[in-house]
Amino acid sequence: MKSLFAKKLIVANWKLYIKTQAEAKALYKSCVVVASQLKRTEMVLAVPFVFVSHMVKRKNMHVGAQDVSWAVEGAYTGEVSARMLASVGVTHVIAGHSERRDLAGDTDEQVAQKVKAALGVGLWVILCVGERERATDGSSLVVVKRELLASLKGVSRMLAGHLIIAYEPIWAISAHHPKSVDTPESTLEMAIYIRKILHDLYGKATASRIRVLYGGSVAPENIRGFLERGGVDGALVGHASASAGKFTRILHETEMSYSQDV
Ligand code: 13P
């Protein structure tokens, strides 16, 4: 499936891997160097909140956060709002990551509120969906559809143009064995299915503006398979994005990838 987008999107999700401000700055600098060389790829650095204001938007590089509050303002100790993030230069936020659902207990309703809060101030939302267990009986399609519909509840067609959907099968996240990673072939099936749901929800024009990404143990060795045969417009990268060397290789592999017409 040929990507409709001129540039592939690679999102770095630093999670809790980067330990200090000095480490964050060093990794950012190496990403700046690569970003300036990219022609067919752009990246988002989704960094911990404390590092956000050390990141500056560059050509082919956008600043992202890993979460956002569902609350707009008020007595919510510890929360960080969409407006605060936008005011320090953030343009992209991740919502509904399985680790937030597990660690912070984010419900589908809260995820939908986060999506609306972020889209409402003009941010791009990288909405994560994905089944918990590997399945061959089609049940993952049911899970993903349910999650998508619940997380997009109340999101209007007008706002939906700023959505990015990340398909992240939870069982493939942080996999230590290559066999535990999803295959481009099953990602393709899911990507087509996600696009159909978006088409049904928002119509062709809007759905065609929504990128679909794959996430789950993306590495320099497997990124091209997903981009070339997985029907996706980019990737959401966790562990490998915390290594300057691996992330640079992922970006270079992305530059060299092509997408097939299927
Ligand atoms: P890994 O690339 O470490 O498997 O993480 C995937 C992920 O959760 C990205 O959001």
Side-chain angles (χ1 to χ4, degrees), residues 6-258:
K7 291 187 178 182
K8 296 269 168 38
L9 182 69
I10 303 295
V11 182
N13 179 2
W14 287 3
K15 303 193 180 185
L16 199 61
Y17 289 122
I18 307 301
K19 292 167 203 71
T20 61
Q21 182 175 307
E23 238 182 78
K25 283 185 175 171
L27 185 52
Y28 164 74
K29 274 191 193 152
S30 79
C31 291
V32 168
V33 173
V34 192
S36 68
Q37 302 159 353
L38 299 174
K39 296 199 164 45
R40 302 169 58 209
T41 311
E42 52 188 334
M43 70 175 99
V44 174
L45 301 182
V47 305
F49 290 140
V50 288
F51 300 141
V52 151
S53 36
H54 298 295
M55 313 282 138
V56 181
K57 185 192 166 357
R58 303 288 182 117
K59 185 166 178 249
N60 297 321
M61 180 197 270
H62 310 278
V63 181
Q66 298 169 19
D67 196 12
V68 61
S69 182
W70 46 268
V72 174
E73 64 170 353
Y76 301 105
T77 304
E79 291 291 298
V80 176
S81 75
R83 190 173 290 281
M84 288 176 191
L85 291 170
S87 77
V88 291
V90 167
T91 51
H92 292 64
V93 293
I94 297 175
H97 193 285
S98 57
E99 285 153 15
R100 297 310 302 161
R101 292 180 192 258
D102 287 349
L103 294 168
D106 280 10
T107 62
D108 284 336
E109 292 71 34
Q110 282 168 338
V111 173
Q113 279 181 294
K114 288 181 178 199
V115 171
K116 281 182 281 189
L119 292 175
V121 299
L123 295 174
W124 289 84
V125 172
I126 302 156
L127 171 65
C128 301
V129 292
E131 76 281 4
R132 200 158 281 280
E133 312 281 342
R134 189 202 283 264
T136 48
D137 58 358
S139 58
S140 32
L141 299 176
V142 178
V143 172
V144 166
K145 180 172 186 181
R146 193 201 53 71
E147 234 178 356
L148 261 181
L149 295 182
S151 311
L152 294 176
K153 199 164 178 209
V155 174
S156 67
R157 180 179 300 201
M158 204 181 78
L159 291 179
H162 265 208
L163 283 170
I164 297 163
I165 307 298
Y167 169 54
E168 293 210 309
I170 299 171
W171 52 267
I173 294 177
S174 306
H176 296 296
H177 192 282
K179 282 202 176 133
S180 310
V181 179
D182 201 12
T183 61
E185 290 66 32
S186 68
T187 300
L188 174 64
E189 184 187 30
M190 188 60 87
I192 291 171
Y193 187 60
I194 289 173
R195 287 184 212 282
K196 181 184 176 320
I197 296 168
L198 295 172
H199 182 279
D200 292 348
L201 279 175
Y202 298 120
K204 190 174 172 192
T206 301
S208 64
R209 282 167 36 215
I210 302 176
R211 280 186 164 101
V212 178
L213 314 181
Y214 168 75
S217 301
V218 168
E221 296 75 20
N222 63 23
I223 179 81
R224 279 181 76 170
F226 288 109
L227 297 178
E228 293 176 359
R229 304 192 311 281
V232 290
D233 310 300
L236 178 51
V237 187
H239 192 258
S241 75
S243 147
K246 283 188 188 168
F247 194 56
T248 300
R249 280 171 59 209
I250 286 175
L251 292 163
H252 285 150
E253 291 290 328
T254 303
E255 281 285 281
M256 290 187 294
S257 70
Y258 60 91

